[in-house]
Amino acid sequence: MVDLASGPPGDYAVHTNSTVMIDWPSQRRSVCRPMAPEPADELDLGAKLARAIDGYRATWRTVDAELYDLCRRRPSQRIFADVYAKVAVIGRVYVAGVSRSSHAPGDREAEMARGLIGLADLIEETLADLAGRQFDRATAAQIVELHGRVTRGLLPHTGDVWLPSFVSKYLHFHCDRVPIYDSNAASVIGCFVDRRLVADVRALMTDVPVCALAYRKFVAAFVVLQERINAETSVAATVKEVDHLLWQSA
């Protein structure tokens, strides 16, 4: 049920009619075998994070810099050429499976771009509001709401497909506070956090469509992990560097 790709992570889900059932780490203890089931101590977490940041800066940071630059040079959510370029490049580099999973006829990436253009007001206004904000519980709740509305708005253009991963990646490269949802990160994040704290954060995120519930759970856990990093280590990590910690730990 989990796609653990060797390259940039892809999507995963189990579909039951229109309901998406998520394979949460507590049900797959083997996923957590590389690390202790309980949160690591301060030194261990700090060391793991520092190694992940070093690895990220030596490899994927260069690739990501090109994607951030693409979104800065083509910020419009209304011009087809701009949106299509971003859908195609981000989707293919991060193996988001747009062309593979969409049920739209013809050029599926083009149809995804048209769907995003139809949501331009929502995306541009929310991204502008998020600009310069710190990643915290309030920001995370706003990100989850935006993600859910975009995901739901794209469904008529793509069919009943698994969109949370692609939407998170598309939004992230416009706003680097948006956590990226993918199979690798989702498979291990439960090993780093206290589930009771995750439930408390998740309860603050309301009005989320069914198609975005998995992302809400993931972002709530990401908030708890970021708060733990801030409290227990001296490492100043970006959202993308924490993402790389999860990806390397899978």
Side-chain angles (χ1 to χ4, degrees):
M1 286 184 281
V2 180
D3 169 27
L4 296 179
S6 58
D11 312 338
Y12 79 91
V14 180
H15 293 265
T16 305
N17 296 326
S18 61
T19 302
V20 178
M21 305 299 293
I22 301 304
D23 189 13
W24 190 245
S26 64
Q27 299 169 345
R28 294 177 57 85
R29 298 307 302 172
S30 61
V31 171
C32 297
R33 282 178 187 166
M35 63 189 72
E38 296 300 322
D41 61 27
E42 176 181 347
L43 178 62
D44 190 41
L45 176 61
K48 286 177 184 289
L49 183 57
R51 286 194 299 270
I53 292 173
D54 287 344
Y56 175 71
R57 292 176 178 176
T59 55
W60 270 99
R61 184 169 68 170
T62 302
V63 178
D64 287 344
E66 296 297 322
L67 300 180
Y68 291 128
D69 184 61
L70 171 64
C71 293
R72 280 192 295 268
R73 288 186 292 105
R74 295 180 177 271
S76 176
Q77 306 298 330
R78 303 172 189 276
I79 300 171
F80 178 81
D82 288 358
V83 180
Y84 181 76
K86 291 182 288 189
V87 168
V89 175
I90 294 171
R92 296 185 190 193
V93 170
Y94 268 79
V95 198
V98 174
S99 60
R100 181 179 68 250
S101 62
S102 174
H103 297 163
D107 187 331
R108 293 167 177 175
E109 289 163 327
E111 190 60 28
M112 182 74 79
R114 294 186 186 99
L116 289 165
I117 289 170
L119 300 166
D121 286 345
L122 167 66
I123 296 171
E124 290 180 349
E125 290 172 8
T126 308
L127 290 178
D129 192 43
L130 290 170
R133 297 260 296 274
Q134 297 294 318
F135 182 76
D136 54 22
R137 296 187 178 199
T139 300
Q142 190 171 5
I143 288 169
V144 168
E145 181 181 0
L146 171 63
H147 180 279
R149 294 177 66 185
V150 171
T151 301
R152 181 170 53 193
L154 287 174
L155 286 176
H157 297 270
T158 60
D160 187 12
V161 298
W162 185 239
L163 292 172
S165 181
F166 168 76
V167 172
S168 71
K169 292 165 183 174
Y170 184 85
L171 294 175
H172 172 82
F173 287 102
H174 291 85
C175 174
D176 63 7
R177 267 77 70 202
V178 176
I180 288 180
Y181 182 93
D182 58 60
S183 61
N184 287 283
S187 69
V188 300
I189 195 167
C191 303
F192 284 95
V193 297
D194 185 326
R195 289 178 54 135
R196 293 167 297 180
L197 297 177
V198 174
D200 291 341
V201 176
R202 191 169 67 243
L204 302 175
M205 302 172 179
T206 59
D207 192 26
V208 177
V210 171
C211 59
L213 290 178
Y215 187 67
R216 179 182 69 168
K217 175 179 280 190
F218 174 74
V219 172
F222 201 100
V223 169
V224 173
L225 175 55
Q226 185 72 69
E227 291 177 345
R228 184 177 168 225
I229 289 169
N230 293 342
E232 298 180 12
T233 81
S234 59
V235 181
T238 66
V239 166
K240 194 62 180 68
E241 289 167 343
V242 176
D243 169 78
H244 202 72
L245 167 69
L246 297 174
W247 184 67
Q248 280 197 339
S249 301

